Amino acid sequence: MPNQVVRARARLAVAYMDQNKLPRAAKLLEEAEAVIQKSFPRLREGSAGYWFIRAEMEYLNARGRLLSRMGQFDQALQAARLAIDKGHALQPLHAFVDQRQQQYSRANHAWAATEMASIQINMSRWLDADESLRLANGLYRDYGLTEDKMLG
């Protein structure tokens, strides 16, 4: 499934970024973007729609992180905003997946807001970062993502 290809590449790209292997991460995200452009359907409904939107959210979040690490803050911020929008688009589709998958997608949505705050901090946009952290905190709270649920 194309959505699984994108999710796997995004996740591996984040691991490469954590090891400071940015060129490898960039290559994986380029591959993921090509899959999105070529293989993702335009109409996204039901269970299949959930997985395509979630894959895009995870890709955009990873892309934002990479762009931030490369000093391309404006593009990073744009990717982070799009990732947050995808998280909002997922909310009505949570009924199509089990509770475990809902928890993971909600955690990724909140993480996207946290990543946006990090980008804004790197840009010295303190008030915007404060607003993004408030958004992230609200998402964590609304989703019931307490510390005990976020561990293991």
Side-chain angles (χ1 to χ4, degrees):
M1 296 279 300
N3 59 323
Q4 292 171 345
V5 170
V6 169
R7 292 183 67 225
R9 280 172 175 66
R11 193 169 297 163
L12 187 55
V14 169
Y16 279 136
M17 284 181 255
D18 289 344
Q19 297 172 9
N20 206 31
K21 296 179 180 178
L22 301 185
R24 285 184 169 181
K27 180 157 177 41
L28 286 169
L29 291 177
E30 287 169 9
E31 292 171 5
E33 185 174 3
V35 171
I36 290 170
Q37 291 175 350
K38 180 180 176 187
S39 303
F40 274 33
R42 296 282 179 237
L43 183 62
R44 297 173 188 160
E45 297 176 341
S47 179
Y50 167 88
W51 289 106
F52 285 110
I53 294 169
R54 181 168 163 187
E56 282 182 310
M57 177 181 65
E58 293 174 12
Y59 158 76
L60 287 164
N61 203 14
R63 180 172 166 76
R65 179 184 264 194
L66 176 66
L67 290 168
S68 178
R69 295 278 303 270
M70 295 170 62
Q72 299 175 12
F73 298 117
D74 289 328
Q75 293 123 321
L77 192 56
Q78 182 181 11
R81 284 188 178 125
L82 289 172
I84 291 170
D85 290 346
K86 295 294 179 182
H88 289 305
L90 274 177
Q91 290 174 347
L93 300 176
H94 281 148
F96 294 103
V97 295
D98 63 41
Q99 196 166 13
R100 181 172 177 239
Q101 293 305 324
Q102 290 176 25
Q103 178 108 354
Y104 284 127
S105 69
R106 289 172 176 161
N108 274 305
H109 186 203
W111 178 49
T114 305
E115 283 292 319
M116 187 163 73
S118 295
I119 294 164
Q120 290 163 330
I121 289 168
N122 288 333
M123 298 173 79
S124 298
R125 293 185 179 175
W126 311 114
L127 295 176
D128 292 339
D130 181 65
E131 185 177 322
S132 296
L133 287 172
R134 289 178 193 278
L135 170 64
N137 184 53
L139 289 172
Y140 282 112
R141 185 186 61 248
D142 293 347
Y143 289 152
L145 298 172
T146 56
E147 187 175 327
D148 61 312
K149 291 184 180 177
M150 297 300 289
L151 299 174

